[in-house]
PDB file of all heavy atoms in Angstrom:
ATOM      1  N   TYR A   8       0.342  11.292  -3.493  1.00  0.00           N
ATOM      2  CA  TYR A   8       0.051  12.602  -4.090  1.00  0.00           C
ATOM      3  C   TYR A   8       1.188  13.603  -3.892  1.00  0.00           C
ATOM      4  O   TYR A   8       1.121  14.728  -4.332  1.00  0.00           O
ATOM      5  CB  TYR A   8      -1.228  13.182  -3.469  1.00  0.00           C
ATOM      6  CG  TYR A   8      -2.466  12.383  -3.793  1.00  0.00           C
ATOM      7  CD1 TYR A   8      -3.078  11.588  -2.835  1.00  0.00           C
ATOM      8  CD2 TYR A   8      -3.015  12.429  -5.071  1.00  0.00           C
ATOM      9  CE1 TYR A   8      -4.216  10.845  -3.139  1.00  0.00           C
ATOM     10  CE2 TYR A   8      -4.141  11.699  -5.383  1.00  0.00           C
ATOM     11  CZ  TYR A   8      -4.746  10.912  -4.415  1.00  0.00           C
ATOM     12  OH  TYR A   8      -5.863  10.198  -4.719  1.00  0.00           O
ATOM     13  N   GLN A   9       2.229  13.171  -3.171  1.00  0.00           N
ATOM     14  CA  GLN A   9       3.332  14.087  -2.818  1.00  0.00           C
ATOM     15  C   GLN A   9       2.783  15.382  -2.230  1.00  0.00           C
ATOM     16  O   GLN A   9       3.111  16.482  -2.677  1.00  0.00           O
ATOM     17  CB  GLN A   9       4.205  14.376  -4.045  1.00  0.00           C
ATOM     18  CG  GLN A   9       5.073  13.213  -4.410  1.00  0.00           C
ATOM     19  CD  GLN A   9       6.137  12.921  -3.354  1.00  0.00           C
ATOM     20  OE1 GLN A   9       6.949  13.762  -3.051  1.00  0.00           O
ATOM     21  NE2 GLN A   9       6.105  11.728  -2.773  1.00  0.00           N
ATOM     22  N   PHE A  11       3.075  17.675   0.080  1.00  0.00           N
ATOM     23  CA  PHE A  11       3.805  18.463   1.056  1.00  0.00           C
ATOM     24  C   PHE A  11       3.472  19.914   0.775  1.00  0.00           C
ATOM     25  O   PHE A  11       3.846  20.460  -0.259  1.00  0.00           O
ATOM     26  CB  PHE A  11       5.309  18.214   0.937  1.00  0.00           C
ATOM     27  CG  PHE A  11       5.657  16.777   1.165  1.00  0.00           C
ATOM     28  CD1 PHE A  11       6.031  15.969   0.112  1.00  0.00           C
ATOM     29  CD2 PHE A  11       5.562  16.231   2.439  1.00  0.00           C
ATOM     30  CE1 PHE A  11       6.320  14.635   0.319  1.00  0.00           C
ATOM     31  CE2 PHE A  11       5.856  14.895   2.657  1.00  0.00           C
ATOM     32  CZ  PHE A  11       6.234  14.090   1.585  1.00  0.00           C
ATOM     33  N   TYR A  12       2.748  20.519   1.703  1.00  0.00           N
ATOM     34  CA  TYR A  12       2.229  21.848   1.417  1.00  0.00           C
ATOM     35  C   TYR A  12       3.229  22.936   1.760  1.00  0.00           C
ATOM     36  O   TYR A  12       4.091  22.762   2.610  1.00  0.00           O
ATOM     37  CB  TYR A  12       0.914  22.068   2.183  1.00  0.00           C
ATOM     38  CG  TYR A  12      -0.134  21.038   1.837  1.00  0.00           C
ATOM     39  CD1 TYR A  12      -0.913  20.462   2.824  1.00  0.00           C
ATOM     40  CD2 TYR A  12      -0.319  20.637   0.518  1.00  0.00           C
ATOM     41  CE1 TYR A  12      -1.873  19.512   2.506  1.00  0.00           C
ATOM     42  CE2 TYR A  12      -1.263  19.687   0.194  1.00  0.00           C
ATOM     43  CZ  TYR A  12      -2.047  19.118   1.189  1.00  0.00           C
ATOM     44  OH  TYR A  12      -2.977  18.187   0.869  1.00  0.00           O
ATOM     45  N   THR A  13       3.083  24.058   1.085  1.00  0.00           N
ATOM     46  CA  THR A  13       4.022  25.157   1.269  1.00  0.00           C
ATOM     47  C   THR A  13       3.628  25.978   2.492  1.00  0.00           C
ATOM     48  O   THR A  13       3.067  27.058   2.369  1.00  0.00           O
ATOM     49  CB  THR A  13       4.028  26.046   0.005  1.00  0.00           C
ATOM     50  OG1 THR A  13       3.925  25.196  -1.122  1.00  0.00           O
ATOM     51  CG2 THR A  13       5.304  26.843  -0.099  1.00  0.00           C
ATOM     52  N   GLU A  36      -3.423  27.526 -10.537  1.00  0.00           N
ATOM     53  CA  GLU A  36      -2.703  26.782  -9.491  1.00  0.00           C
ATOM     54  C   GLU A  36      -2.894  25.310  -9.855  1.00  0.00           C
ATOM     55  O   GLU A  36      -3.984  24.751  -9.702  1.00  0.00           O
ATOM     56  CB  GLU A  36      -3.280  27.184  -8.131  1.00  0.00           C
ATOM     57  CG  GLU A  36      -3.147  26.233  -6.954  1.00  0.00           C
ATOM     58  CD  GLU A  36      -1.763  25.674  -6.650  1.00  0.00           C
ATOM     59  OE1 GLU A  36      -1.276  24.920  -7.512  1.00  0.00           O
ATOM     60  OE2 GLU A  36      -1.229  25.932  -5.570  1.00  0.00           O
ATOM     61  N   PRO A  37      -1.870  24.664 -10.450  1.00  0.00           N
ATOM     62  CA  PRO A  37      -2.042  23.325 -11.020  1.00  0.00           C
ATOM     63  C   PRO A  37      -2.052  22.180 -10.019  1.00  0.00           C
ATOM     64  O   PRO A  37      -2.361  21.047 -10.390  1.00  0.00           O
ATOM     65  CB  PRO A  37      -0.818  23.188 -11.944  1.00  0.00           C
ATOM     66  CG  PRO A  37       0.212  24.095 -11.351  1.00  0.00           C
ATOM     67  CD  PRO A  37      -0.527  25.226 -10.708  1.00  0.00           C
ATOM     68  N   CYS A  38      -1.699  22.428  -8.777  1.00  0.00           N
ATOM     69  CA  CYS A  38      -1.701  21.346  -7.772  1.00  0.00           C
ATOM     70  C   CYS A  38      -2.162  21.940  -6.458  1.00  0.00           C
ATOM     71  O   CYS A  38      -1.357  22.139  -5.541  1.00  0.00           O
ATOM     72  CB  CYS A  38      -0.337  20.699  -7.598  1.00  0.00           C
ATOM     73  SG  CYS A  38       0.972  21.255  -8.689  1.00  0.00           S
ATOM     74  N   GLY A  39      -3.446  22.184  -6.361  1.00  0.00           N
ATOM     75  CA  GLY A  39      -4.042  23.022  -5.324  1.00  0.00           C
ATOM     76  C   GLY A  39      -3.699  22.703  -3.889  1.00  0.00           C
ATOM     77  O   GLY A  39      -3.540  23.599  -3.076  1.00  0.00           O
ATOM     78  N   GLY A  40      -3.620  21.407  -3.540  1.00  0.00           N
ATOM     79  CA  GLY A  40      -3.340  21.028  -2.156  1.00  0.00           C
ATOM     80  C   GLY A  40      -4.385  21.605  -1.226  1.00  0.00           C
ATOM     81  O   GLY A  40      -5.586  21.518  -1.498  1.00  0.00           O
ATOM     82  N   VAL A  43      -2.728  27.041  -0.107  1.00  0.00           N
ATOM     83  CA  VAL A  43      -1.946  28.145   0.477  1.00  0.00           C
ATOM     84  C   VAL A  43      -1.688  29.290  -0.502  1.00  0.00           C
ATOM     85  O   VAL A  43      -1.790  30.458  -0.130  1.00  0.00           O
ATOM     86  CB  VAL A  43      -0.566  27.696   1.043  1.00  0.00           C
ATOM     87  CG1 VAL A  43      -0.661  27.269   2.470  1.00  0.00           C
ATOM     88  CG2 VAL A  43       0.069  26.645   0.190  1.00  0.00           C
ATOM     89  N   PHE A  44      -1.364  28.944  -1.746  1.00  0.00           N
ATOM     90  CA  PHE A  44      -1.088  30.019  -2.711  1.00  0.00           C
ATOM     91  C   PHE A  44      -2.376  30.775  -3.056  1.00  0.00           C
ATOM     92  O   PHE A  44      -2.383  31.997  -3.187  1.00  0.00           O
ATOM     93  CB  PHE A  44      -0.485  29.452  -4.009  1.00  0.00           C
ATOM     94  CG  PHE A  44       0.909  28.905  -3.844  1.00  0.00           C
ATOM     95  CD1 PHE A  44       1.233  27.642  -4.316  1.00  0.00           C
ATOM     96  CD2 PHE A  44       1.896  29.655  -3.229  1.00  0.00           C
ATOM     97  CE1 PHE A  44       2.519  27.144  -4.173  1.00  0.00           C
ATOM     98  CE2 PHE A  44       3.183  29.170  -3.080  1.00  0.00           C
ATOM     99  CZ  PHE A  44       3.496  27.907  -3.554  1.00  0.00           C
ATOM    100  N   GLU A  61      -6.628  19.809  -8.932  1.00  0.00           N
ATOM    101  CA  GLU A  61      -6.120  18.971  -7.849  1.00  0.00           C
ATOM    102  C   GLU A  61      -6.611  17.551  -8.103  1.00  0.00           C
ATOM    103  O   GLU A  61      -7.749  17.326  -8.488  1.00  0.00           O
ATOM    104  CB  GLU A  61      -6.609  19.523  -6.496  1.00  0.00           C
ATOM    105  CG  GLU A  61      -6.399  18.629  -5.299  1.00  0.00           C
ATOM    106  CD  GLU A  61      -4.938  18.257  -5.027  1.00  0.00           C
ATOM    107  OE1 GLU A  61      -4.096  19.153  -4.893  1.00  0.00           O
ATOM    108  OE2 GLU A  61      -4.647  17.040  -4.958  1.00  0.00           O
ATOM    109  N   LEU A  62      -5.703  16.597  -7.864  1.00  0.00           N
ATOM    110  CA  LEU A  62      -6.001  15.200  -8.160  1.00  0.00           C
ATOM    111  C   LEU A  62      -6.668  14.478  -6.991  1.00  0.00           C
ATOM    112  O   LEU A  62      -7.498  13.586  -7.174  1.00  0.00           O
ATOM    113  CB  LEU A  62      -4.663  14.507  -8.484  1.00  0.00           C
ATOM    114  CG  LEU A  62      -4.660  13.080  -8.970  1.00  0.00           C
ATOM    115  CD1 LEU A  62      -5.435  12.924 -10.267  1.00  0.00           C
ATOM    116  CD2 LEU A  62      -3.220  12.605  -9.194  1.00  0.00           C
ATOM    117  N   ASN A  63      -6.309  14.860  -5.801  1.00  0.00           N
ATOM    118  CA  ASN A  63      -6.746  14.120  -4.620  1.00  0.00           C
ATOM    119  C   ASN A  63      -8.135  14.582  -4.157  1.00  0.00           C
ATOM    120  O   ASN A  63      -8.305  15.743  -3.778  1.00  0.00           O
ATOM    121  CB  ASN A  63      -5.701  14.360  -3.514  1.00  0.00           C
ATOM    122  CG  ASN A  63      -6.014  13.589  -2.248  1.00  0.00           C
ATOM    123  OD1 ASN A  63      -7.053  12.958  -2.132  1.00  0.00           O
ATOM    124  ND2 ASN A  63      -5.103  13.657  -1.299  1.00  0.00           N
ATOM    125  N   CYS A  85      -8.927  16.997 -11.220  1.00  0.00           N
ATOM    126  CA  CYS A  85      -8.392  16.439 -12.465  1.00  0.00           C
ATOM    127  C   CYS A  85      -6.893  16.215 -12.333  1.00  0.00           C
ATOM    128  O   CYS A  85      -6.270  16.666 -11.380  1.00  0.00           O
ATOM    129  CB  CYS A  85      -8.677  17.360 -13.645  1.00  0.00           C
ATOM    130  SG  CYS A  85      -7.726  18.870 -13.596  1.00  0.00           S
ATOM    131  N   ASP A  86      -6.360  15.513 -13.311  1.00  0.00           N
ATOM    132  CA  ASP A  86      -4.922  15.290 -13.342  1.00  0.00           C
ATOM    133  C   ASP A  86      -4.295  16.340 -14.259  1.00  0.00           C
ATOM    134  O   ASP A  86      -4.521  16.335 -15.473  1.00  0.00           O
ATOM    135  CB  ASP A  86      -4.643  13.875 -13.876  1.00  0.00           C
ATOM    136  CG  ASP A  86      -3.174  13.533 -13.763  1.00  0.00           C
ATOM    137  OD1 ASP A  86      -2.332  14.431 -13.992  1.00  0.00           O
ATOM    138  OD2 ASP A  86      -2.863  12.374 -13.449  1.00  0.00           O
ATOM    139  N   THR A  87      -3.551  17.248 -13.662  1.00  0.00           N
ATOM    140  CA  THR A  87      -2.988  18.365 -14.425  1.00  0.00           C
ATOM    141  C   THR A  87      -2.152  17.899 -15.614  1.00  0.00           C
ATOM    142  O   THR A  87      -2.116  18.544 -16.660  1.00  0.00           O
ATOM    143  CB  THR A  87      -2.135  19.238 -13.476  1.00  0.00           C
ATOM    144  OG1 THR A  87      -2.999  19.746 -12.476  1.00  0.00           O
ATOM    145  CG2 THR A  87      -1.453  20.366 -14.204  1.00  0.00           C
ATOM    146  N   ASN A 109       3.696  24.512  -6.270  1.00  0.00           N
ATOM    147  CA  ASN A 109       4.634  23.643  -5.578  1.00  0.00           C
ATOM    148  C   ASN A 109       4.239  22.248  -6.054  1.00  0.00           C
ATOM    149  O   ASN A 109       3.437  21.578  -5.421  1.00  0.00           O
ATOM    150  CB  ASN A 109       4.441  23.815  -4.072  1.00  0.00           C
ATOM    151  CG  ASN A 109       5.152  22.736  -3.295  1.00  0.00           C
ATOM    152  OD1 ASN A 109       6.020  22.051  -3.823  1.00  0.00           O
ATOM    153  ND2 ASN A 109       4.768  22.573  -2.039  1.00  0.00           N
ATOM    154  N   PRO A 111       4.216  18.189  -7.209  1.00  0.00           N
ATOM    155  CA  PRO A 111       4.769  17.003  -6.557  1.00  0.00           C
ATOM    156  C   PRO A 111       6.158  16.675  -7.116  1.00  0.00           C
ATOM    157  O   PRO A 111       6.405  16.854  -8.301  1.00  0.00           O
ATOM    158  CB  PRO A 111       3.769  15.908  -6.899  1.00  0.00           C
ATOM    159  CG  PRO A 111       2.935  16.430  -8.004  1.00  0.00           C
ATOM    160  CD  PRO A 111       3.011  17.910  -7.990  1.00  0.00           C
ATOM    161  N   LYS A 120       0.065   4.865 -16.112  1.00  0.00           N
ATOM    162  CA  LYS A 120       0.124   6.319 -16.232  1.00  0.00           C
ATOM    163  C   LYS A 120       1.506   6.753 -16.723  1.00  0.00           C
ATOM    164  O   LYS A 120       1.643   7.650 -17.552  1.00  0.00           O
ATOM    165  CB  LYS A 120      -0.190   6.978 -14.885  1.00  0.00           C
ATOM    166  CG  LYS A 120      -0.174   8.488 -14.976  1.00  0.00           C
ATOM    167  CD  LYS A 120      -0.747   9.166 -13.762  1.00  0.00           C
ATOM    168  CE  LYS A 120      -0.394  10.646 -13.800  1.00  0.00           C
ATOM    169  NZ  LYS A 120      -0.709  11.340 -12.579  1.00  0.00           N
ATOM    170  N   PHE A 140       5.386  18.894 -14.693  1.00  0.00           N
ATOM    171  CA  PHE A 140       4.495  20.011 -14.326  1.00  0.00           C
ATOM    172  C   PHE A 140       5.047  21.331 -14.854  1.00  0.00           C
ATOM    173  O   PHE A 140       4.302  22.179 -15.346  1.00  0.00           O
ATOM    174  CB  PHE A 140       4.336  20.106 -12.798  1.00  0.00           C
ATOM    175  CG  PHE A 140       3.304  19.169 -12.257  1.00  0.00           C
ATOM    176  CD1 PHE A 140       3.615  17.855 -11.950  1.00  0.00           C
ATOM    177  CD2 PHE A 140       1.992  19.595 -12.064  1.00  0.00           C
ATOM    178  CE1 PHE A 140       2.657  16.987 -11.459  1.00  0.00           C
ATOM    179  CE2 PHE A 140       1.029  18.724 -11.580  1.00  0.00           C
ATOM    180  CZ  PHE A 140       1.360  17.427 -11.274  1.00  0.00           C
TER     181      PHE A 140
HETATM  182  C1  SAM B 601       3.441  19.359  -3.078  1.00  0.00           C
HETATM  183  S1  SAM B 601       1.695  19.485  -2.869  1.00  0.00           S
HETATM  184  C2  SAM B 601       1.537  21.196  -2.980  1.00  0.00           C
HETATM  185  C3  SAM B 601       0.220  21.743  -2.646  1.00  0.00           C
HETATM  186  C4  SAM B 601       0.079  23.248  -2.638  1.00  0.00           C
HETATM  187  N1  SAM B 601       0.327  23.827  -3.950  1.00  0.00           N
HETATM  188  C5  SAM B 601       0.998  23.879  -1.648  1.00  0.00           C
HETATM  189  O1  SAM B 601       2.000  24.448  -2.017  1.00  0.00           O
HETATM  190  O2  SAM B 601       0.748  23.773  -0.445  1.00  0.00           O
HETATM  191  C6  SAM B 601       1.207  18.832  -4.371  1.00  0.00           C
HETATM  192  C7  SAM B 601      -0.278  18.700  -4.539  1.00  0.00           C
HETATM  193  O3  SAM B 601      -0.475  18.284  -5.873  1.00  0.00           O
HETATM  194  C8  SAM B 601      -1.485  17.276  -5.920  1.00  0.00           C
HETATM  195  N2  SAM B 601      -1.221  16.459  -7.096  1.00  0.00           N
HETATM  196  C9  SAM B 601      -0.354  15.426  -7.229  1.00  0.00           C
HETATM  197  N3  SAM B 601      -0.347  14.961  -8.497  1.00  0.00           N
HETATM  198  C10 SAM B 601      -1.233  15.728  -9.184  1.00  0.00           C
HETATM  199  C11 SAM B 601      -1.683  15.738 -10.543  1.00  0.00           C
HETATM  200  N4  SAM B 601      -1.188  14.875 -11.410  1.00  0.00           N
HETATM  201  N5  SAM B 601      -2.588  16.651 -10.894  1.00  0.00           N
HETATM  202  C12 SAM B 601      -3.076  17.550 -10.002  1.00  0.00           C
HETATM  203  N6  SAM B 601      -2.689  17.585  -8.711  1.00  0.00           N
HETATM  204  C13 SAM B 601      -1.789  16.692  -8.304  1.00  0.00           C
HETATM  205  C14 SAM B 601      -1.350  16.556  -4.597  1.00  0.00           C
HETATM  206  O4  SAM B 601      -2.537  15.898  -4.247  1.00  0.00           O
HETATM  207  C15 SAM B 601      -0.948  17.680  -3.651  1.00  0.00           C
HETATM  208  O5  SAM B 601      -2.067  18.237  -3.053  1.00  0.00           O
END
Side-chain angles (χ1 to χ4, degrees):
Y8 294 107
Q9 286 293 301
F11 300 107
Y12 302 137
T13 321
E36 156 51 294
C38 356
V43 271
F44 291 130
E61 169 59 55
L62 186 60
N63 183 354
C85 70
D86 187 322
T87 298
N109 167 17
K120 181 168 167 190
F140 277 85

